[in-house]
């Protein structure tokens, strides 16, 4: 059963097995994003509960213009970004002033990022800024398009491209710095 | 599956340990919301009437009920012409 079908049945009959199915499909994924973003197990557990509750309370608002997974992930990222902003007292995770960023000479290829070993990637993601981490997860973990990321972050597509470029550069730099002996 | 998705799988594996208890919490929160929504849906109009009654108001029964068999006002002229 595809996601939209499950949602229709849930909304019509409040069927418990539809809830189970969606929880099975997305519970772990939401948790994974929460722990990657918040870097704290207990916080990630609470966040997963709150995000899932939010999703189910707003299920009727899902308009099927995007994939259900994209909608779920955008709620998750927005929740985590809001939490981090509140915690860091209005820190701007995705600042607009890209003119302040240093010019990047050669773009890091996707292959270079996707060839990082999982144990290295875990450490690198922890070291990255919250905004950089989020944008890399959206692109490489969730397969979101530039357009989808731009709409989620309320930024222009060119700003998102620049952010991704910067984040990839930082990830490469961190890999060289943290895993010198393995490099 | 790329390295980012493998990492996601690792975290998902960790989540399986506590997933069941989290699920119960979510279900209980959702049923609480549902319960409150039902109460509002069923009892809110009655609460409104109750508050009006407490405030000293009562149902307005002075207006005469319209007689469904009577001629609607816009057709009264038509009826009188027909009788001629």
């Amino acid at each position: 059963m595809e996601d939209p079908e499950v949602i229709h049945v849930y909304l019509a009959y409040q069927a418990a097995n539809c809830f189970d199915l969606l929880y099975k499909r997305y519970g772990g994924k939401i948790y994974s994003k929460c722990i990657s973003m918040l870097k704290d197990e207990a916080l990630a557990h609470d966040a997963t509960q709150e995000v899932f509750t939010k999703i189910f309370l707003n299920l009727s608002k899902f308009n099927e213009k995007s994939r259900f997974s994209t909608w779920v992930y955008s709620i998750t990222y927005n929740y985590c970004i809001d939490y981090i902003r509140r915690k860091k007292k209005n820190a701007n995770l995705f600042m607009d002033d890209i003119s302040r960023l240093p010019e990047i000479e050669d773009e890091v290829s996707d292959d270079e990022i996707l060839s990082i070993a999982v144990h290295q990637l875990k450490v690198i993601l922890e070291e990255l800024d919250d905004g950089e981490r989020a944008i890399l997860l959206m692109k490489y973990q969730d397969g979101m398009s530039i357009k989808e990321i731009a709409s989620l972050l309320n930024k222009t597509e060119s700003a998102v491209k620049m952010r991704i470029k910067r984040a990839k550069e930082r990830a490469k730099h961190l890999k060289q710095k943290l895993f010198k002996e393995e490099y | 599956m790329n390295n980012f998705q493998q990492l996601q799988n690792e975290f998902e594996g960790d989540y399986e340990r506590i997933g069941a208890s989290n699920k119960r919490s979510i279900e209980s929160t959702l049923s609480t919301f549902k319960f409150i929504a039902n109460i509002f849906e069923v009892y809110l109009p009655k609460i409104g009437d109750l508050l009006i009654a407490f405030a000293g108001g009562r149902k307005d029964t002075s207006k005469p009920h319209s007689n469904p068999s009577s001629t609607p006002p816009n057709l009264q002229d038509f009826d009188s012409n027909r009788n001629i």
Side-chain angles (χ1 to χ4, degrees):
Chain A
M1 227 172 152
E2 295 291 315
D3 288 342
E5 218 177 321
V6 179
I7 293 162
H8 288 152
V9 176
Y10 179 80
L11 289 174
Y13 307 105
Q14 303 285 306
N17 54 347
C18 293
F19 173 85
D20 291 348
L21 199 58
L22 291 176
Y23 186 78
K24 206 172 171 185
R25 282 181 195 171
Y26 292 102
K29 288 186 173 67
I30 292 171
Y31 173 76
S32 163
K33 280 168 215 333
C34 291
I35 191 136
S36 297
M37 289 296 295
L38 305 172
K39 298 190 274 185
D40 182 286
E41 258 188 61
L43 275 179
H45 290 164
D46 293 347
T48 307
Q49 276 187 29
E50 286 193 37
V51 168
F52 221 88
T53 308
K54 209 172 180 180
I55 287 166
F56 267 83
L57 291 176
N58 291 290
L59 210 51
S60 57
K61 291 180 191 163
F62 172 59
N63 54 18
E64 294 182 38
K65 277 183 189 164
S66 62
R67 284 172 292 165
F68 180 64
S69 58
T70 308
W71 187 70
V72 167
Y73 300 153
S74 51
I75 292 176
T76 311
Y77 284 119
N78 278 328
Y79 178 92
C80 294
I81 289 166
D82 281 349
Y83 181 88
I84 295 166
R85 274 187 187 142
R86 264 183 282 131
K87 199 176 148 201
K88 292 187 177 174
K89 291 182 184 154
N90 299 322
N92 196 346
L93 268 63
F94 302 96
M95 61 175 183
D96 272 330
D97 192 5
I98 53 174
S99 59
R100 284 192 303 180
L101 300 173
E103 207 43 54
I104 299 157
E105 286 163 12
D106 297 315
E107 189 171 351
V108 179
S109 71
D110 285 350
D111 286 344
E112 248 179 292
I113 297 298
L114 295 173
S115 66
I116 298 172
V118 177
H119 72 279
Q120 294 176 340
L121 183 64
K122 202 172 177 176
V123 179
I124 290 168
L125 285 174
E126 275 181 22
E127 291 295 318
L128 284 172
D129 292 345
D130 300 314
E132 292 168 337
R133 185 166 56 251
I135 219 159
L136 287 183
L137 290 175
M138 288 175 203
K139 179 167 167 60
Y140 295 110
Q141 198 168 75
D142 309 326
M144 289 168 80
S145 65
I146 301 287
K147 199 178 170 185
E148 284 171 333
I149 300 173
S151 122
L152 194 158
L153 300 175
N154 205 17
K155 301 278 172 214
T156 62
E157 289 184 32
S158 55
V160 168
K161 280 181 195 163
M162 180 55 83
R163 289 268 133 212
I164 292 173
K165 201 173 167 186
R166 275 269 302 160
K168 280 157 73 177
E169 182 68 20
R170 276 265 294 151
K172 184 186 172 184
H173 173 75
L174 280 167
K175 186 188 170 192
Q176 288 168 341
K177 188 179 151 195
L178 298 168
F179 302 99
K180 251 183 216 165
E181 65 283 1
E182 292 179 47
Y183 196 63
Chain B
M1 184 182 286
N2 69 32
N3 50 354
F4 280 81
Q5 288 156 346
Q6 282 171 31
L7 185 62
Q8 177 172 262
N9 272 6
E10 259 185 40
F11 287 131
E12 279 186 63
D14 294 344
Y15 187 67
E16 275 174 22
R17 285 182 291 112
I18 48 98
S21 68
N22 251 12
K23 189 178 156 212
R24 276 194 297 275
S25 300
I26 296 165
E27 279 173 325
S28 112
T29 311
L30 286 175
S31 51
T32 308
F33 273 106
K34 223 178 281 175
F35 176 70
I36 294 168
N38 285 344
I39 285 182
F40 269 92
E41 202 179 338
V42 174
Y43 293 108
L44 198 65
K46 291 181 190 223
I47 291 170
D49 289 346
L50 198 69
L51 286 175
I52 290 167
F54 273 130
R58 58 180 178 176
K59 273 189 182 173
D60 188 7
T61 52
S62 60
K63 278 184 188 168
H65 290 287
S66 62
N67 182 358
S69 63
S70 65
T71 312
N74 58 339
L75 294 178
Q76 276 170 356
D77 289 344
F78 174 79
D79 271 2
S80 56
N81 289 339
R82 199 173 55 175
N83 291 337
I84 298 165

